[in-house]
């Protein structure tokens, strides 16, 4: 796994850091604070919503080794 993500009190899974082996491209595209909204199904092209760390882990660990995984993220906008 390339991300570190705890659940938030408001029902999201949020990126709070990256593992040591996360590629630079991933760290450039995904930012700390982004929310994981969905993960693609291992059987087809449907995106499944996730709201818990267990849901993300289940989606990731149900794959064959080397199988591609697509995530959908949301970047919250903060007004200052």
């Amino acid at each position: 796994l390339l991300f570190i993500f705890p659940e938030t009190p408001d029902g999201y899974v949020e990126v709070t850091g990256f593992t040591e082996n996360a590629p630079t491209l991933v760290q450039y595209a995904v930012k700390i604070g982004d929310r994981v909204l969905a993960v693609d199904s291992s059987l087809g092209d449907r995106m499944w919503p996730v709201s818990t760390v267990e849901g993300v882990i289940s989606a990731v660990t149900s794959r064959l080794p080397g199988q591609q995984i697509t995530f959908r993220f949301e970047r919250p906008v903060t007004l200052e």
Side-chain angles (χ1 to χ4, degrees):
L1 221 47
L2 303 175
F3 314 106
I4 301 167
F5 40 54
E7 294 167 30
T8 64
D10 54 353
Y12 290 99
V13 178
E14 186 176 283
V15 176
T16 59
F18 300 93
T19 60
E20 292 179 10
N21 60 340
T24 304
L25 181 60
V26 169
Q27 294 182 41
Y28 177 76
V30 179
K31 301 293 183 196
I32 292 176
D34 286 356
R35 298 172 176 167
V36 182
L37 297 182
V39 180
D40 68 330
S41 167
S42 60
L43 303 171
D45 59 356
R46 182 175 175 169
M47 296 294 287
W48 294 97
V50 292
S51 59
T52 65
V53 171
E54 290 82 13
V56 175
I57 291 171
S58 175
V60 171
T61 58
S62 65
R63 307 301 172 112
L64 296 172
Q67 187 176 9
Q68 181 178 340
I69 302 170
T70 302
F71 292 89
R72 181 176 296 144
F73 293 94
E74 172 183 71
R75 184 160 298 148
V77 177
T78 55
L79 302 174
E80 296 180 22

